[in-house]
Amino acid sequence: MLSTKTRAVTLSAAFASTLALAACGASNEGGSTDSSGATTSQEQLSGTLNGAGSSAQQAAMQGWTAGYSSIQPDVTVNYDPVGSGGGREQFLAGGVDFAGSDAALTDEELTTAQERCGSDGVFELPDYISAIAVVYNLPGVDDLNLSPDTLAGIFTGAITTWDDAAIAADNEGVDLPSTTITPVHRADESGTTKNFTDYLAQAASSVWTDKASGEWPLSGGEAANQTSGMVSAVQAGEGAIGYADESQAGDLGVAKIGVGSEFVAPSPEAAAAVVENSELVSGRGDYDFAYSINRTTTSADEYPIVLVSYHIGCISNDDATQADLLKSFLGYVISEDGQQAGADAAGSAPLSDTLREQAQTAIDAITSGS
């Protein structure tokens, strides 16, 4: 019989930025929640579940583990927010039970995943949806509008001062300073970067001519590791601009982005709306729910610079205990209670019923191959 305890501890002391997820909660004798958020009876479990990846999921993971601890207090969930690329690498190498990633597996990575997971394949669940905020540090400018081409021009280095004519055209009547612009990008391979560059490549293709990439494709600007480093770099430099999960923006300025004829601020509702109106990537497995986001929407109800962060794992697991822990934890994550816990901690957009039901089919399929 399995027992349960959910506390989150650091996965490796080697990472100074490892997330210590203190998930202190009262023991729940009665069970867990199903995908609709209803309480169900569940065998109490014990063991350790190891995950690594997206630093954008950091705040949400705190909410998830804290909530899960009240249901399964004898399960330990370790999560190292090393970044999406590092998380996928650790998962593919067999070092962790699941990865958190702000980008779906590439075709090459899917081949490697097949080698690890076998013929049953992988699951990719879009469990965390959040807007990527364009954050800036420009004292005296509380509201800022940026069209797609202007934003791309800033990050290519073509636009170098805040009073440039292109920025002025987006911000009629605003007194813009002549401060030099310092664009900040991620130094590490990042799913946030891949989503941001995917937006630029689709919405401003005449200015941004590079393809979407998790590694920043251009020279110049300032580089920072992980989400926390990005935010710190923008905070430290007047005139700086960067991109980060909206939940991590703090007191920095957040730009509105041109969508159709309007400028739209990032919000959980607008982020969820653009995902709902996007399509799954074709040609993947039965439980691979990777989305191709519609970055060129013209609806003012949608915000196109959105991060869909996935939980990635094997459908078939070698160990029955690990399969049970994975099903239990991810079942909580996608539940109404779990999504609300993530939203409260991170400001993310709770999954719609459609996305929750979709994810539940994959969680139900998780099994032990032994």
Side-chain angles (χ1 to χ4, degrees):
M1 167 137 178
L2 304 165
S3 63
T4 66
K5 178 165 101 171
T6 299
R7 53 192 169 94
V9 296
T10 56
L11 181 62
S12 169
F15 296 100
S17 62
T18 294
L19 176 62
L21 299 166
C24 304
S27 176
N28 183 333
E29 302 290 342
S32 68
T33 55
D34 65 14
S35 63
S36 69
T39 300
T40 61
S41 177
Q42 184 183 75
E43 180 183 17
Q44 292 293 285
L45 307 173
S46 71
T48 299
L49 195 63
N50 292 322
S54 166
S55 57
Q57 284 190 28
Q58 180 172 342
M61 190 64 75
Q62 289 175 321
W64 289 328
T65 53
Y68 185 61
S69 70
S70 69
I71 298 164
Q72 296 286 10
D74 293 319
V75 176
T76 298
V77 179
N78 299 322
Y79 184 78
D80 183 355
V82 66
S84 297
R88 295 196 305 276
E89 288 177 6
Q90 289 186 39
F91 167 70
L92 293 172
V96 292
D97 300 302
F98 70 94
S101 178
D102 304 339
L105 295 171
T106 65
D107 290 343
E108 182 178 352
E109 288 171 333
L110 279 172
T111 300
T112 304
Q114 192 83 1
E115 295 171 1
R116 176 187 170 180
C117 298
S119 59
D120 289 336
V122 300
F123 61 78
E124 295 195 84
L125 309 182
D127 291 347
Y128 177 84
I129 299 172
S130 182
I132 298 173
V134 175
V135 294
Y136 66 95
N137 180 352
L138 197 61
V141 180
D142 297 328
D143 297 301
L144 182 69
N145 296 330
L146 294 173
S147 65
D149 284 353
T150 301
L151 182 62
I154 289 172
F155 278 92
T156 61
I159 297 173
T160 59
T161 62
W162 281 105
D163 61 352
D164 186 275
I167 301 176
D170 290 340
N171 296 273
E172 187 176 351
V174 176
D175 185 15
L176 296 167
S178 59
T179 308
T180 298
I181 298 174
T182 302
V184 182
H185 61 267
R186 288 279 289 271
D188 54 324
E189 183 180 356
S190 160
T192 309
T193 295
K194 187 167 185 178
N195 280 279
F196 184 64
T197 56
D198 185 45
Y199 166 76
L200 294 176
Q202 291 193 45
S205 58
S206 63
V207 179
W208 185 271
T209 56
D210 287 276
K211 295 181 179 179
S213 174
E215 296 181 351
W216 191 254
L218 303 177
S219 60
E222 184 175 341
N225 282 310
Q226 301 182 352
T227 302
S228 58
M230 165 68 75
V231 171
S232 294
V234 177
Q235 288 173 333
E238 185 172 329
I241 185 171
Y243 53 92
D245 189 285
E246 184 195 10
S247 68
Q248 306 296 311
D251 295 331
L252 289 170
V254 174
K256 294 179 180 178
I257 301 301
V259 178
S261 60
E262 304 292 332
F263 287 95
V264 179
S267 71
E269 296 77 15
V274 78
V275 176
E276 283 290 325
N277 292 314
S278 297
E279 296 182 356
L280 286 169
V281 177
S282 62
R284 298 210 167 202
D286 291 342
Y287 304 112
D288 189 335
F289 304 127
Y291 276 85
S292 178
I293 304 301
N294 178 16
R295 308 290 188 185
T296 57
T297 178
T298 57
S299 171
D301 295 327
E302 300 177 10
Y303 181 82
I305 317 180
V306 66
L307 176 150
V308 178
S309 199
Y310 299 89
H311 287 140
I312 301 171
C314 295
I315 290 294
S316 180
N317 295 265
D318 292 336
D319 184 270
T321 298
Q322 294 309 107
D324 287 342
L325 294 177
L326 201 56
K327 291 182 76 161
S328 176
F329 178 62
L330 293 179
Y332 172 75
V333 167
I334 70 167
S335 72
E336 287 186 4
D337 287 349
Q339 286 292 297
Q340 191 58 54
D344 290 344
S348 53
L351 296 179
S352 67
D353 290 343
T354 299
L355 292 177
R356 180 181 297 107
E357 291 165 6
Q358 182 186 72
Q360 188 66 53
T361 64
I363 293 170
D364 290 343
I366 295 172
T367 186
S368 168
S370 59

